[in-house]
Amino acid sequence: MAAPPEAKYTEETVLWVKQHTSKLITFAITRPDTYRFSAGQFSRLGFRDGEGFIWRAYSVVSAEYADTLEYFAVLIEGGPMSAKLAQMQAGDTVLLDKNATGFLLPERFSDGRELIMLCTGSGIAPFLSILEQPEIWQRFERLVLVHSVSYADELIFNERIAELKSHPLIEDYFHKLFFVSLTTREEGGMLHGKRLPEWLKNGGLEKVLGFTFTQAESRFMICGNPEMVKDTFQALLDLGFSMHRNRVPGQIMMENGF
């Protein structure tokens, strides 16, 4: 007999909601003592909707050891889940599936010296969680985060990333991080005017970083809108890199952003 729905989720309290632009919000909810996830995974969040439920997946922004669960959402006009999130306030309740899931996990790479995280929009969320884990900084000699957005006001995590320099678990390793902001429709990012796949194809990203990607040392993780993920994956394939699979090690892991 299948377990009743209430056995599969908990009801959590919204602690705060911050509206960054008309479309971008971050928010935090209470974390059950039993809730476990690995940096890079996502949660299923839900609301009651009439006689049923509405569920969507959101990557966890928080560190694995955080007391609360933080998320980043892009509000979609006409989207039923976005309508719920747009009205959400501190003190409201949200449903949390008891099991986190997802395979965008850096520990799946068994080798490599540099971890290169490529993302658009809300695809930055799992990488923010990954960057909170001290073992990532200890394992890799270089960490690269490239965040591509349309407009400069969507680069809402620049300050948060800079603050890692004083993070007590990370400050000794912060020099390993290369953060590149990219704006496609206006100036404002370190790179601008072209999409991320183009900056890979023309060598512009390597030039900004000051080193060359290699099959032996470079490991790529991609997260973002499906078109970007597809095109970036193809650009890396054209450069000689391959998909990482458990039985056939490669250099690329990817996941569509939620």
Side-chain angles (χ1 to χ4, degrees):
M1 180 180 297
E6 59 268 22
K8 299 180 180 180
Y9 65 79
T10 58
E11 190 165 307
E12 302 303 322
T13 302
V14 177
L15 299 173
W16 53 262
V17 181
K18 184 173 182 179
Q19 184 104 25
H20 299 271
T21 72
S22 61
K23 296 181 178 180
L24 306 182
I25 67 168
T26 51
F27 60 96
I29 65 174
T30 51
R31 178 178 182 175
D33 291 339
T34 56
Y35 191 79
R36 297 290 180 267
F37 71 95
S38 296
Q41 290 190 310
F42 56 85
S43 305
R44 289 180 71 244
L45 302 179
F47 294 95
R48 291 180 175 84
D49 188 40
E51 296 183 0
F53 300 86
I54 181 171
W55 294 93
R56 294 291 185 272
Y58 293 92
S59 293
V60 184
V61 175
S62 312
E64 293 176 10
Y65 47 82
D67 294 330
T68 63
L69 296 171
E70 183 180 348
Y71 302 93
F72 173 34
V74 177
L75 303 180
I76 301 171
E77 186 174 355
M81 189 67 167
S82 292
K84 298 281 190 183
L85 294 176
Q87 298 173 2
M88 188 172 64
Q89 300 179 17
D92 290 347
T93 57
V94 63
L95 308 180
L96 173 68
D97 191 303
K98 290 183 178 181
N99 297 310
T101 189
F103 301 97
L104 195 69
L105 306 170
E107 57 264 34
R108 290 180 58 211
F109 288 126
S110 61
D111 58 4
R113 295 174 56 202
E114 52 210 28
L115 182 64
I116 301 155
M117 297 163 279
L118 308 173
C119 59
T120 55
S122 62
I124 193 175
F127 300 139
L128 293 173
S129 179
I130 287 169
L131 287 175
E132 295 264 12
Q133 305 305 128
E135 58 268 26
I136 295 300
W137 298 79
Q138 295 164 16
R139 174 184 167 184
F140 291 98
E141 295 184 18
R142 294 185 180 119
L143 294 171
V144 176
L145 175 62
V146 182
H147 188 204
S148 175
V149 298
S150 296
Y151 302 100
D153 66 351
E154 297 169 351
L155 293 167
I156 64 173
F157 293 106
N158 289 13
E159 184 176 346
R160 181 186 185 128
I161 293 166
E163 288 175 351
L164 290 172
K165 186 175 184 179
S166 57
H167 191 295
L169 300 177
I170 293 169
E171 56 186 353
D172 291 342
Y173 307 99
F174 184 77
H175 63 278
K176 295 183 177 184
L177 178 64
F178 297 75
F179 173 56
V180 179
S181 58
L182 194 167
T183 48
T184 58
R185 298 188 181 181
E186 67 178 13
E187 296 184 8
M190 186 179 298
L191 296 175
H192 57 85
K194 296 183 179 68
R195 296 173 63 239
L196 181 49
E198 295 303 316
W199 288 108
L200 285 168
K201 293 176 184 178
N202 65 19
L205 180 56
E206 288 174 310
K207 185 176 180 180
V208 165
L209 294 172
F211 62 88
T212 301
F213 303 143
T214 67
Q215 293 181 21
E217 307 297 352
S218 305
R219 300 294 175 266
F220 297 90
M221 301 178 75
I222 313 169
C223 188
N225 69 69
E227 184 179 357
M228 168 272 187
V229 171
K230 176 177 68 71
D231 292 347
T232 300
F233 177 55
Q234 186 60 55
L236 290 172
L237 290 179
D238 293 343
L239 291 170
F241 300 100
S242 62
M243 184 71 174
H244 177 80
R245 305 181 190 281
N246 289 339
R247 296 185 179 181
V248 185
Q251 301 85 31
I252 309 168
M253 285 192 288
M254 58 186 183
E255 183 173 85
N256 290 331
F258 303 103

